[in-house]
Amino acid sequence: MAVLDIIKLPDKRLRQVSEPIKRVDASIRKLVDDMFDTMYKAPGIGLAAIQVGVPRRVIVLDLSKKEDAHAPQIFVNPEVVWASEAKTTREEGCLSIPDYYEEVERPSKVKVKYQDIDGKSHEIEADGLLATCLQHEIDHTNGVLFIDYLSKLKRDRVIKKFTKAAKKVEA
């Protein structure tokens, strides 16, 4: 297991649409293990494979509190198949946009179809933090970032800030 580099805004790979996983094999299991190591080290509560430069449809979550035991969740080829009309606003952040948080409105409840690490199909109905995190990470697999839900002014401001910071690192 390894801690991978998390790609950051303005890296264009974050806008890439991820490919479906046809078969869960040893390479996908290793990727998932590495993603958990990376997410826990960051620390974060969710990570999509594209955030570590792998354009595959897999996300990992762990919404457990720091004082509790880890409760890892794996979603292969996750897809929102239903979303409530009711909305919830929650503060979101992203490991690919470090130290930036903003209120985002999303459907309160979602139904997500996915496969587990053994390739078995499941469907989960989620609300609260789990619904928000699933939508946030599934968005990543579609090349969408949480800042895309903000006003154009806020979005442009954060993109400019991270672009400027990336140029300083390159210099």
Side-chain angles (χ1 to χ4, degrees), residues 109-122:
K109 294 182 179 179
V110 291
K111 193 177 284 184
V112 174
K113 187 172 75 176
Y114 69 99
Q115 293 162 300
D116 62 22
I117 197 67
D118 297 316
K120 292 191 182 92
S121 294
H122 298 274

Side-chain angles (χ1 to χ4, degrees), residues 16-161:
Q16 194 174 351
V17 175
S18 298
E19 294 292 318
I21 293 170
K22 290 177 180 32
R23 198 171 58 86
V24 177
D25 58 17
S27 70
I28 297 299
R29 286 188 174 85
K30 180 179 180 346
L31 171 64
V32 165
D33 287 343
D34 291 347
M35 286 171 65
F36 275 118
D37 286 349
T38 304
M39 182 184 78
Y40 289 135
K41 176 133 184 8
I45 59 173
L47 189 69
I50 191 64
Q51 291 178 272
V52 293
V54 180
R56 304 300 300 278
R57 289 189 168 288
V58 63
I59 63 175
V60 298
L61 299 176
D62 189 336
L63 308 184
S64 63
K65 299 208 175 346
K66 283 183 180 127
E67 62 273 8
D68 296 337
H70 286 313
Q73 295 177 281
I74 302 162
F75 298 86
V76 176
N77 297 323
E79 175 189 348
V80 174
V81 293
W82 174 84
S84 66
E85 287 185 29
K87 305 282 187 204
T88 299
T89 300
R90 188 180 294 272
E91 186 179 72
E92 292 187 32
C94 181
L95 295 176
S96 292
I97 310 173
D99 303 318
Y100 182 78
Y101 303 90
E102 200 62 64
E103 297 282 322
V104 176
E105 184 182 75
R106 294 183 184 271
S108 301
K109 294 182 179 179
V110 291
K111 193 177 284 184
V112 174
K113 187 172 75 176
Y114 69 99
Q115 293 162 300
D116 62 22
I117 197 67
D118 297 316
K120 292 191 182 92
S121 294
H122 298 274
E123 208 169 80
I124 183 175
E125 200 164 304
D127 61 7
L129 182 60
L130 179 57
T132 299
C133 291
L134 281 167
Q135 292 172 82
H136 177 111
E137 299 306 334
I138 291 169
D139 274 353
H140 273 299
T141 67
N142 295 315
V144 176
L145 301 174
F146 86 95
I147 59 171
D148 296 341
Y149 294 93
L150 306 178
S151 69
K152 182 175 178 353
L153 179 68
K154 281 185 179 177
R155 186 174 52 253
D156 289 350
R157 199 176 289 156
V158 74
I159 290 170
K160 185 177 179 182
K161 175 185 170 186

